[in-house]
Amino acid sequence: MDLLGSLGQPQASTEVQCSRKGRRNRAEHQLLWNNPKIHTPERRKIWLACPEHLDWLETYLKERLLYRQTLPLPGTTGGTE
């Protein structure tokens, strides 16, 4: 028995969504980044991107010198740059 379901709470979606503000497209890529002013060099933060917003998110991070790498999201067909 699902306790949360029995209480009428909505179930969490298992689909990963794009990190672009206001978007809910299915993510296929992960953009690894860090802010060298506050993170150690090996630390990586992750934003998720759908194909439509991949370029926008990469450009945003690159302009701020935060971008490190783009990888396909495991379990998807997303490519790398």
Side-chain angles (χ1 to χ4, degrees), residues 28-57:
E28 294 184 16
H29 307 275
Q30 50 185 336
L31 286 81
L32 281 59
W33 64 278
N34 79 346
N35 184 339
K37 293 180 181 178
I38 60 174
H39 300 130
T40 59
E42 64 279 351
R43 173 131 186 227
R44 292 295 180 264
K45 305 281 282 180
I46 299 173
W47 279 356
L48 301 176
C50 66
E52 180 181 353
H53 297 107
L54 178 62
D55 290 338
W56 190 95
L57 290 165

Side-chain angles (χ1 to χ4, degrees), residues 5-32:
S6 68
L7 295 175
Q9 298 294 324
Q11 295 291 326
S13 173
T14 57
E15 182 176 289
V16 290
Q17 298 176 343
C18 182
S19 296
R20 177 78 162 97
K21 185 176 180 179
R23 305 298 181 203
R24 298 294 172 247
N25 299 350
R26 183 172 173 8
E28 294 184 16
H29 307 275
Q30 50 185 336
L31 286 81
L32 281 59

